[in-house]
Amino acid sequence: MLNNQKGFLLLESLLVLAIAASLLFIPPLLSRDVISATEGELFKQQLESSVTATQNYAVLSGKMTKIELSKQNKHIKFSLLDNPSHSFNHRLIFPESVSALSTTKVFHFLGGSGNIRELDSMAFTIDGKRAVFKFQMGSGRYEWE
């Protein structure tokens, strides 16, 4: 009597299962890179926006503002010097893919003028690459290197 039954062997079933499992692990690996790159770009945009807002507030309100970079605390603090409880005061927390290269830096915007002067800078490592944010206090100019 001949056995003409057709079907998957155990080895074939395990091979199909291994291929399916490997296809399931590819998207999370790729999405980590995308998430990290997105966090870095979002950090850059938030930093630009916060520096601009801090400068604008100083110029328009006539009150002195401060930006304080803290590598140890992994944040940048934006604040009004004369009103520490104001809703403008906030912190920009570094995402996991970002770290500061300098320990601590403090920048002040003078009320009314914004104190135009030479370019100041903050250096970071974003996704393993060096990025320097240069800005000119008072003029609103900034650039990334």
Side-chain angles (χ1 to χ4, degrees):
M1 182 170 176
L2 289 172
N3 189 357
N4 287 335
Q5 293 179 345
K6 294 187 178 186
F8 287 113
L9 296 174
L10 178 60
L11 183 61
E12 292 170 329
S13 297
L14 291 175
L15 182 64
V16 169
L17 184 61
I19 292 171
S22 65
L23 290 176
L24 288 174
F25 288 114
I26 290 174
L29 293 175
L30 295 176
S31 66
R32 284 186 196 138
D33 294 338
V34 171
I35 289 170
S36 181
T38 303
E39 282 179 343
E41 285 302 313
L42 183 59
F43 173 78
K44 286 180 173 182
Q45 290 176 2
Q46 288 175 327
L47 179 58
E48 291 170 9
S49 177
S50 293
V51 168
T52 302
T54 303
Q55 173 183 285
N56 289 343
Y57 191 91
V59 171
L60 297 174
S61 72
K63 297 179 180 177
M64 192 173 202
T65 58
K66 179 172 90 169
I67 300 172
E68 185 177 354
L69 169 70
S70 175
K71 180 179 182 176
Q72 181 181 6
N73 296 329
K74 298 182 179 183
H75 72 258
I76 302 173
K77 183 179 175 184
F78 301 88
S79 58
L80 305 176
L81 290 181
D82 67 340
N83 192 350
S85 63
H86 194 276
S87 62
F88 175 82
N89 300 333
H90 67 284
R91 296 176 196 269
L92 177 58
I93 308 294
F94 299 163
E96 287 184 30
S97 61
V98 175
S99 64
L101 294 178
S102 56
T103 310
T104 301
K105 275 192 166 184
V106 178
F107 307 95
H108 292 93
F109 288 107
L110 297 177
S113 70
N115 61 310
I116 297 175
R117 60 181 195 195
E118 295 178 11
L119 289 172
D120 284 308
S121 64
M122 292 185 227
F124 303 95
T125 302
I126 301 175
D127 290 328
K129 297 176 187 167
R130 188 172 192 269
V132 179
F133 179 65
K134 292 185 174 184
F135 59 98
Q136 185 176 28
M137 297 205 273
S139 73
R141 289 184 39 221
Y142 58 83
E143 61 187 43
W144 283 95
E145 284 186 357

